[in-house]
Amino acid sequence: MSLIQLEDRGSVVLVKLSRPEKLNALNLELRQELLKTLRDFNSDQSKRVAILSGEGRAFSVGADLGSISSDLTEDLRASFYPILREIRFAQKIYIAAINGVTAGAGISLSLACDVRLASPSSKFVTAFHSIGLAPDTGLTLILTRLGGTRFLDRLLLGGEMSAQDLEREGVVKVVDDPLSEAVKIAEQISSGPFKSYVASKKLINRALFPDLEEFLDYESALQGYLGSTADFNEGVKAFIEKRKPSFRGE
């Protein structure tokens, strides 16, 4: 059974994460399927705009703890980062239609898109620290570049951001129906001076994310180290057992 729903609209493609019973948590199978989908889209010269969304009550709550390996560095480099690169560095335009809750790497992938639309009730949750980890999939770099220092406390300590919080900093645009608005914008982009839009994306990447690859190398090394700590093991165990973790700073 496919974990990605595709709707082909000519030069526009709707890509919907389809694991609603798990709030579209990114297990290995979903990550692999999403990466292949994005690579196929990016290599198809007839396609111009992709809309990313999630089925059900969430865009994506990020990594599925049941499918991460003992080597977090390798997990990030093998699947999370390639997905991020396909979105951010493609010569295509990506629109995120964000619904419900978005957490962890799900925030990273939504904010990596060129246009970011969120429903009024959308919530963005940084909960890495509850399992003894730090933000990953480029979130610290992407959010601070888009929103400045406004959300450093959420990145440092964890917490929740509303769609309105992010809109005030220009990170997302709040609309009543993100998917319908995304389709409208995608059709406008696709029928417009597309090469100029792609060139503009390249300029934005040069201005905001010229050091993204270097950052990801540093981030993955830190996350790999954290994945070897006692606090991470306790955090995951507590999550599975549905209890409060007992961290020791070790």
Side-chain angles (χ1 to χ4, degrees):
M1 180 179 176
S2 178
L3 298 177
I4 299 288
Q5 292 183 20
L6 290 179
E7 182 178 337
D8 193 321
R9 295 188 172 215
S11 60
V12 176
V13 175
L14 275 64
V15 180
K16 182 175 288 187
L17 307 179
S18 185
R19 203 177 172 225
E21 74 284 358
K22 297 293 185 179
L23 299 180
N24 301 317
L26 299 166
N27 65 356
L28 180 59
E29 292 76 17
L30 178 51
R31 298 197 307 268
Q32 291 174 335
E33 189 171 347
L34 177 58
L35 180 57
K36 182 181 185 305
T37 298
L38 299 185
R39 284 176 170 166
D40 288 347
F41 168 78
N42 286 337
S43 64
D44 188 337
Q45 296 303 308
S46 70
K47 306 302 181 188
R48 292 184 169 183
V49 184
I51 299 170
L52 298 186
S53 66
E55 182 182 1
R57 298 183 294 115
F59 179 85
S60 172
V61 293
D64 187 327
L65 293 183
S67 73
I68 58 175
S69 73
S70 58
D71 186 346
L72 297 186
T73 297
E74 178 58 25
D75 269 356
L76 289 169
R77 293 177 177 175
S79 59
F80 288 97
Y81 290 173
I83 292 170
L84 180 66
R85 291 187 186 101
E86 291 296 326
I87 296 171
R88 192 57 249 162
F89 296 121
Q91 296 190 48
K92 310 279 186 174
I93 303 300
Y94 279 82
I95 302 174
I98 306 162
N99 53 294
V101 63
T102 303
I107 304 177
S108 302
L109 299 186
S110 68
L111 298 190
C113 292
D114 304 293
V115 179
R116 301 162 298 275
L117 308 172
S119 66
S121 60
S122 293
K123 301 293 183 185
F124 299 78
V125 181
T126 55
F128 300 92
H129 310 84
S130 65
I131 56 169
L133 294 179
D136 63 30
T137 317
L139 180 58
T140 302
L141 180 73
I142 294 170
L143 185 56
T144 53
R145 295 284 167 84
L146 294 178
T149 61
R150 170 68 175 80
F151 303 108
L152 291 184
D153 59 336
R154 293 358 182 259
L155 292 168
L156 180 66
L157 303 173
E160 182 179 293
M161 300 167 285
S162 69
Q164 291 75 19
D165 290 333
L166 292 178
E167 184 178 46
R168 279 191 289 272
E169 305 303 319
V171 179
V172 304
K173 180 179 180 181
V174 176
V175 295
D176 289 333
D177 189 340
L179 190 55
S180 294
E181 184 67 16
V183 170
K184 184 188 305 181
I185 294 173
E187 291 174 347
Q188 292 173 350
I189 292 172
S190 181
S191 62
F194 186 67
K195 288 186 177 180
S196 72
Y197 298 143
V198 172
S200 298
K201 177 173 182 171
K202 290 180 178 179
L203 290 171
I204 291 169
N205 281 338
R206 179 62 67 91
L208 291 182
F209 308 117
D211 52 350
L212 179 58
E213 292 293 353
E214 178 185 356
F215 180 87
L216 294 179
D217 282 342
Y218 184 64
E219 176 194 88
S220 61
L222 281 177
Q223 204 74 313
Y225 160 71
L226 291 174
S228 69
T229 64
D231 277 350
F232 172 70
N233 291 329
E234 165 61 12
V236 172
K237 184 177 180 182
F239 178 84
I240 294 172
E241 296 174 355
K242 298 182 179 180
R243 60 174 174 81
K244 184 177 179 180
S246 179
F247 292 131
R248 299 171 58 186
E250 300 176 352

